[in-house]
Amino acid sequence: DWFNSKYIVLWGSNISQTRIPDAHFAYEARYNGAKIVCISPDYNSSATHADLYFRINPGTDGILALGVAKLLIDHNWIDAPYVKEQTDMPLLVLSGTNRFLRESDLKKGGKEDIFYFWDTKQQHAVPTPGSMGSEQNTIQLNGADPALTGTFHVQLADGKTAEVTTVFELLKKEIAGYTLDKVATRTGLPAHEIELFAKELGTRKPA
């Protein structure tokens, strides 16, 4: 789908050498207005086509990824409908254990492989369509609106009340320390270019 994209990130990928039959689609997209970002410690033959080249310090890719994720979230550059439907970010976890909330937690005889999200419309936890144990062979939300943030309370099968939150909330806590300045220092990349990369990745569609 490179040909249809407006923003292409070659992250540790040298398509001019390793994807020769496919690479032309990315470069033709650039003729059509797409931007190409290349992230690699070496200036390779794909980097020559990039609008933005990051000569990243070896072994710091994860730091850049988490720093960019923090920028995307902090500036609300995320594609919320995509995140809610296509990722595990809205799934509920039990506070304290960080274990996914399962049907077996809420119902006696419930399944271990049906997970839950908090539906903001119904204001209670509902089974996630497409869970391994679900009879729904689709991940379509069918009008539900999963909460990405917040802390909620559910009644367990034993009658006790438990606090739950979302994977998204846990992610935000995990990446809180990956500030722009720290990421720039560790990766060896200019802070303003990291911020530009995050903004364009989050706002140029489709990326």
Side-chain angles (χ1 to χ4, degrees):
D1 217 27
W2 292 338
F3 184 77
N4 300 314
S5 180
K6 293 302 176 191
Y7 205 70
I8 299 169
V9 183
L10 306 176
W11 199 318
S13 176
N14 183 2
I15 61 174
S16 294
Q17 297 289 333
T18 64
R19 296 283 294 275
I20 294 170
D22 305 321
H24 68 93
F25 289 114
Y27 302 139
E28 286 163 22
R30 189 166 181 248
Y31 279 113
N32 291 333
K35 283 191 174 184
I36 293 181
V37 179
C38 182
I39 303 170
S40 180
D42 63 313
Y43 190 71
N44 56 49
S45 54
S46 298
T48 62
H49 299 281
D51 297 280
L52 178 63
Y53 168 60
F54 278 159
R55 187 184 178 197
I56 192 169
N57 288 336
T60 63
D61 298 80
I63 294 168
L64 177 62
L66 293 172
V68 169
K70 176 172 166 53
L71 286 168
L72 290 170
I73 293 169
D74 288 350
H75 291 86
N76 197 29
W77 290 329
I78 63 169
D79 184 347
Y82 177 90
V83 171
K84 289 178 179 184
E85 183 187 77
Q86 297 284 330
T87 78
D88 67 353
M89 291 293 124
L91 295 191
L92 295 174
V93 291
L94 292 158
S95 299
T97 65
N98 290 347
R99 181 179 182 271
F100 282 121
L101 180 70
R102 305 159 191 263
E103 187 181 61
S104 56
D105 296 318
L106 302 176
K107 301 176 183 177
K108 290 182 179 178
K111 293 184 176 181
E112 281 276 316
D113 51 1
I114 291 183
F115 306 107
Y116 282 73
F117 62 74
W118 189 267
D119 186 3
T120 61
K121 293 181 178 178
Q122 300 182 59
Q123 286 298 307
H124 64 78
V126 299
T128 303
S131 293
M132 188 66 74
S134 175
E135 294 180 358
Q136 295 176 272
N137 294 322
T138 177
I139 59 172
Q140 289 183 350
L141 297 173
N142 298 318
D145 182 32
L148 285 175
T149 59
T151 301
F152 314 99
H153 292 89
V154 296
Q155 187 171 2
L156 303 178
D158 61 6
K160 295 180 180 177
T161 299
E163 183 182 89
V164 292
T165 190
T166 64
V167 173
F168 190 74
E169 287 282 18
L170 298 184
L171 174 66
K172 288 200 299 181
K173 290 178 183 177
E174 185 72 23
I175 64 179
Y178 290 86
T179 61
L180 186 56
D181 289 342
K182 287 183 180 178
V183 171
T185 300
R186 293 287 301 277
T187 60
L189 303 174
H192 70 279
E193 290 190 0
I194 296 173
E195 192 167 29
L196 173 67
F197 169 47
K199 182 176 182 179
E200 291 195 327
L201 180 63
T203 57
R204 286 180 69 93
K205 303 294 182 185

